[in-house]
Amino acid sequence: MADPHHGAFRHSIALSVVVPCYNERDGIAELHRRVSAACLAAVGPSYEIVLIIDGATDGTREAILDLARHDSHVVAMDLARNYGHQIALTAGLEFCRGERCLILDADLQDPPELLAAMMAKMDEGFDVVYGQRRKRDGESLFKRSSAALFYRLLRRIVDVEIAADAGDFRLMSRRTLDHLNAMPERYRFVRGMVSWIGLRQVAFPYERHPRFAGTTHYPLKKMLLLAFDAMTSFSIAPLRFASHLGMGFGVLGLCVLGYTIMSWLAGNTLPGWTSLAAIILILGSVQLLVLGIFGEYLGRMYMETKRRPLYIVAEIVCDGTAGAQGSPVHELQERVKGIVGA
Ligand code: UDP
Ligand code: MG
């Protein structure tokens, strides 16, 4: 994605808070209030709150656009449709202009009041201060145990150190963000990509709260998809697993072949339908499994080779206006209009 910002404009802001918002109508006002207070306390007036509207359908869009028109600290970025959490987050990260950047969820599960302490931690010379959940209030046992299992599994198969029990809630330096924004991939697992960058990263333990309003937008299906993106984009271990599985069953097949030939020599060949059927079933299912894993990677490669933009922006309201003539926002909007044809 081309850089929409230029020179001084970009780095004149000390802090950006980037918040992807799906259907979060009932939480937006409270979010705005608490994040604004936290920013003021941490950096004074030099902050922006980038709210990405990820194809919301419940009035979140209107609420956010309205906020952005009245509070010049708020940037509203309205995406053309629902692209999902990680892409919405990417859109905000690419647009934001701060020297530092905090990623936050709209549901206030991660308290924005920790900002000052995280900033202080970063002052010690860290590039990434990532929140590590000590406790998860109001989340089901299933969600907690599946998350724990996922992170344990991910650590085993992935070459990059990805912290357990850390979400996207983190403070990043501008140089980290620039590296992140330079990564073009389509299947994005942002927290893993940040880990991949390296630099100096430190955990920041905190307690996660229940959602302020609404319900989770991560049902089992989306969680599984995110887990799959994480595994396949950071590791080819599943592909290797496929070939190991193939080899294992190849050896087993050879043994069975030896056994069959011996039985044939001994002259008792007719019984054995059961074992035959079992072998066919096992081999068949293993082949399908292996093909499926190949297919996952192939499909992802296919999607990546299209080189489509990751998202399309329908509208941006920034600095209290919809982008004044000659401002970088205006330029961005012109380009956006070119894409959408609006
Ligand atoms: N979200 C989004 N697009 C989606 C789903 C979720 O932008 O398609 C946002 C949502 O508004 C929230 C964040 O992503 O700010 C995390 O979602 P949620 O709180 O539902 O996930 P959970 O905390 O339950 O894992
Ligand atoms: Mg949440």
Side-chain angles (χ1 to χ4, degrees):
M1 200 121 313
D3 188 312
H5 318 295
H6 305 286
F9 178 70
R10 175 174 195 159
H11 295 300
S12 55
I13 295 177
L15 175 74
S16 301
V17 179
V18 175
V19 191
C21 308
Y22 183 41
N23 290 340
E24 305 279 1
R25 185 190 52 207
D26 299 332
I28 291 297
E30 179 71 2
L31 174 79
H32 177 237
R33 191 185 65 72
R34 280 178 60 186
V35 173
S36 301
C39 288
L40 267 176
V43 294
S46 181
Y47 69 91
E48 64 174 359
I49 305 173
V50 181
L51 301 175
I52 304 97
I53 308 161
D54 189 21
T57 52
D58 70 339
T60 303
R61 180 171 180 275
E62 291 68 26
I64 291 179
L65 288 176
D66 195 53
L67 264 186
R69 289 194 194 101
H70 290 100
D71 180 355
S72 59
H73 290 290
V74 174
V75 176
M77 201 173 182
D78 185 22
L79 300 187
R81 64 173 171 84
N82 176 264
Y83 290 92
H85 178 202
Q86 299 288 305
I87 295 292
L89 180 57
T90 301
L93 293 176
E94 286 184 346
F95 184 81
C96 77
R97 298 163 288 176
E99 260 307 309
R100 291 179 181 180
C101 162
L102 177 77
I103 303 177
L104 194 68
D105 280 356
D107 56 13
L108 294 169
Q109 277 187 289
D110 310 310
E113 288 74 22
L114 298 177
L115 180 62
M118 293 170 90
M119 292 287 278
K121 193 83 200 163
M122 185 166 273
D123 289 339
E124 291 171 21
F126 292 101
D127 281 284
V128 178
V129 180
Y130 59 89
Q132 191 157 35
R133 297 157 189 175
R134 245 192 330 234
K135 191 174 115 207
R136 291 168 152 227
D137 273 345
E139 285 184 289
S140 66
L141 180 66
F142 174 72
K143 175 128 192 172
R144 275 181 286 140
S145 48
S146 61
L149 182 72
F150 165 62
Y151 283 112
R152 302 279 144 7
L153 187 64
L154 194 62
R155 277 161 92 106
R156 289 201 63 147
I157 70 165
V158 166
D159 317 325
V160 181
E161 182 72 19
I162 296 180
D165 306 320
D168 289 315
F169 179 53
R170 59 191 59 214
L171 184 66
M172 289 187 287
S173 65
R174 171 47 62 182
R175 68 168 179 167
T176 314
L177 195 55
D178 285 342
H179 288 303
L180 182 64
N181 289 343
M183 297 186 191
E185 63 243 58
R186 166 162 308 274
Y187 293 92
R188 299 179 88 83
F189 181 60
V190 172
R191 65 200 80 157
M193 294 164 72
V194 175
S195 303
W196 181 91
I197 293 172
L199 298 174
R200 293 193 65 199
Q201 313 211 359
V202 66
F204 184 91
Y206 73 106
E207 295 186 359
R208 198 158 204 240
H209 297 285
R211 261 179 161 272
F212 175 72
T215 52
T216 178
H217 302 302
Y218 266 101
L220 183 61
K221 187 172 156 229
K222 275 200 199 169
M223 276 187 344
L224 284 177
L225 279 177
L226 184 69
F228 226 93
D229 282 349
M231 306 236 176
T232 51
S233 39
F234 283 91
S235 157
I236 54 166
L239 277 179
R240 231 174 279 144
F241 167 72
S243 43
H244 288 171
L245 206 64
M247 272 191 277
F249 276 90
V251 172
L252 194 72
L254 278 181
C255 295
V256 175
L257 187 68
Y259 167 75
T260 322
I261 292 173
M262 298 234 291
S263 312
W264 180 69
L265 287 177
N268 48 351
T269 38
L270 211 115
W273 181 83
T274 320
S275 54
L276 202 64
I279 291 163
I280 292 172
L281 284 174
I282 292 171
L283 283 184
S285 58
V286 167
Q287 281 171 354
L288 285 182
L289 178 71
V290 171
L291 276 180
I293 295 176
F294 282 2
E296 282 291 336
Y297 279 91
L298 196 68
R300 270 148 223 263
M301 276 165 66
Y302 171 65
M303 295 307 282
E304 295 280 4
T305 54
K306 286 180 196 271
R307 319 289 320 140
R308 282 199 193 146
L310 294 181
Y311 55 86
I312 297 206
V313 185
E315 187 181 355
I316 290 180
V317 180
C318 183
D319 303 327
T321 68
Q325 191 79 34
S327 77
V329 181
H330 177 76
E331 279 167 38
L332 181 73
Q333 277 197 314
E334 287 297 293
R335 238 195 16 246
V336 166
K337 275 184 189 152
I339 302 170
V340 195

